[in-house]
Amino acid sequence: MLKQILPLIDIDKIKSASVGVLTKRFKYLCPNHHLHDLRHTFITRAQECGIRREIVSLWAGHKADNSITTNVYTHFQEHSELQMLEMQKYNYDYN
């Protein structure tokens, strides 16, 4: 669903916006929610779509996990092709 509106989003403008501005604007648009709710929703939906937990954690800015296998052998952050394959799984229909 996001893919459809990405061309309408000015990514550079969003990157330059302060967290305070984003938080205030989001609160205006969605008074009963917090900006952090979007992060929680994305992580939940990505996992419901079957995207690997380690990849979702990486996208959220966390370590993939604390296991020796992931830290020593996997290096998900270095595998952009794997991340792109996992991203193809994200097709969440909220209807």
Side-chain angles (χ1 to χ4, degrees), residues 3-78:
K3 186 189 270 186
Q4 297 169 356
I5 64 166
L6 276 177
L8 305 173
I9 298 173
D10 185 348
I11 300 296
D12 291 329
K13 189 174 182 179
I14 291 173
K15 286 181 180 179
S16 66
S18 72
V19 175
V21 168
L22 293 173
T23 300
K24 186 176 180 179
R25 183 71 179 152
F26 186 79
K27 197 63 167 169
Y28 172 77
L29 295 170
C30 304
N32 297 323
H33 295 280
H34 297 95
L35 188 58
H36 193 80
D37 293 345
L38 293 177
R39 176 186 177 91
H40 178 80
T41 300
F42 172 76
I43 292 168
T44 301
R45 299 299 177 256
Q47 290 179 335
E48 288 173 352
C49 289
I51 299 173
R52 294 180 188 194
R53 179 183 51 82
E54 296 88 356
I55 297 289
V56 176
S57 294
L58 184 68
W59 291 343
H62 301 151
K63 287 184 178 181
D65 72 19
N66 292 325
S67 77
I68 296 296
T69 302
T70 298
N71 289 333
V72 176
Y73 300 105
T74 310
H75 306 289
F76 284 118
Q77 67 274 15
E78 296 171 10

